[in-house]
């Protein structure tokens, strides 16, 4: 009727040969977005995690730290998964090692 029988018979063959190129072209923006996302978000986050893990492992008795809850204190004892912080004279609290966000220079905590 509207489509000649010769054109209708060759249409699927033409679509199959161009479909691989069409698929790759259609996936290119998706792959490009993933690569950009990796370099902008994922890689820097992994670097920060690695630095934080190294800082936590390097904690020693006498270090002055800040916790994620905002407590300033001096490390008085170190356990396997926890620390004891002296936040004031005679006041000690236990916190998880992962709660430490920053090691301060000596003499910061009074």
């Amino acid at each position: 009727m509207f489509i000649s029988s010769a054109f209708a018979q060759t249409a699927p063959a033409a679509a199959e040969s161009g479909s691989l190129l069409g698929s790759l072209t259609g996936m290119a923006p998706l792959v490009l977005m993933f690569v950009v996302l990796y370099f902008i978000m994922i890689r820097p986050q992994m670097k920060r995690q690695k630095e934080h893990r190294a800082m936590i492992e390097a904690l020693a008795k006498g270090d002055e730290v800040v916790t994620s809850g905002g407590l300033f204190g001096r490390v008085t004892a170190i356990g396997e998964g926890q620390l004891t912080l002296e936040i004031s004279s005679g006041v000690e609290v236990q916190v998880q090692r992962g709660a430490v966000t920053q090691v301060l220079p000596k003499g910061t905590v009074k």
Side-chain angles (χ1 to χ4, degrees), residues 61-105:
K61 189 174 178 180
D63 284 346
E64 297 175 354
V65 298
V66 178
T67 67
S68 59
L71 291 176
F72 287 76
R74 184 174 291 110
V75 177
T76 58
I78 298 177
E80 190 167 316
Q82 58 198 17
L83 303 170
T84 302
L85 295 180
E86 182 179 29
I87 56 175
S88 184
S89 294
V91 180
E92 292 186 346
V93 294
Q94 286 187 344
V95 296
Q96 292 180 336
R97 287 181 87 137
V100 174
T101 57
Q102 185 177 10
V103 177
L104 300 171

Side-chain angles (χ1 to χ4, degrees), residues 12-30:
E16 288 175 12
S17 65
S19 67
L20 179 62
L21 182 61
S23 299
L24 292 177
T25 306
M27 287 180 45
L30 182 63

Side-chain angles (χ1 to χ4, degrees), residues 35-52:
V35 169
V36 169
L37 179 72
Y38 176 78
F39 281 106
I40 290 178
M41 293 180 67
I42 298 171
R43 191 165 177 241
Q45 179 64 28
M46 288 173 30
K47 185 177 177 182
R48 279 192 297 272
Q49 285 176 345
K50 186 177 179 181
E51 290 172 355
H52 185 257

